[in-house]
Amino acid sequence: MVATMTAGEFLALHDRTEPSDPLVLPNVWDAVSARAFAEAGFPVLATSSAAVAAVLGYRDGGDTPPDEMFGALKRIVRSVDVPVTADIENGYGLAPVEIVERLLDAGVIGCNLEDSDAATKQLNDPVQHAEWLSEVSVAAGDRLVLNARVDTFLFGDHSVESAAKRAGLYIDAGADVIYPILAPEELLPDLANSIRRPLNALHLPGTASPSRLGSLGAARVTFGGGLQKQSSDDITELARKIGRAYGAQN
């Protein structure tokens, strides 16, 4: 299957006429989940590095070999006829040009790149990270939508000012969308006012709905690894149910 949407058309979907109607991208992890959400009518899908890593047998945060991650992306993309944007952590140590080449070879329309090291739980130097993002942006040209993740609410000082300062550097480097992951919903209006690009918000179970996040300033809402976690919990419960009935048999 081949999706025909361009990166420019995908980016244009972030321009919402109704704030409470953000672009909602379900995060998928394999061909089965991708087909399910595509058939449910979503015009674009996202992947979650944590979710893909889990089904490949790795933990999120750098353990996944890049060949396996990009192979998984290829399988997801070819299984659906809607575009896919990929979460690839901090690029798995690959050079910017190789990152872009692999993304385009996989057939994705965009990517997430984060500004921290999950193994050390440290933020990258923002100036150096911006320079690196600029190399990715130049290599990608207009072929990919670059979603720059800002991890200050994970490992930083949790302020709007700190997130906005990093976001400004990343925008100057070519970022199309800014993703201040785990930003509290009450800070979204200030973040949206401070950041001159579409804002990606993370929806977590039991928190504000995607519509509410949109009304607070998010142009795009994603789910991270939450959907795969819910699916995994459902499978675990099913396994326990079958195990209670038949697992003791020899």
Side-chain angles (χ1 to χ4, degrees), residues 150 153-154 158 179-185 200-202 204:
V150 176
F153 294 99
L154 277 174
H158 297 197
Y179 181 16
I181 189 171
L182 292 182
E185 62 183 82
N200 185 164
L202 175 67
L204 296 172

Side-chain angles (χ1 to χ4, degrees), residues 133-155:
L133 282 177
S134 178
E135 293 183 49
V136 176
S137 176
V138 169
D142 62 358
R143 298 175 293 176
L144 296 170
V145 172
L146 178 56
N147 187 18
R149 207 178 87 176
V150 176
D151 288 358
T152 53
F153 294 99
L154 277 174
F155 307 125

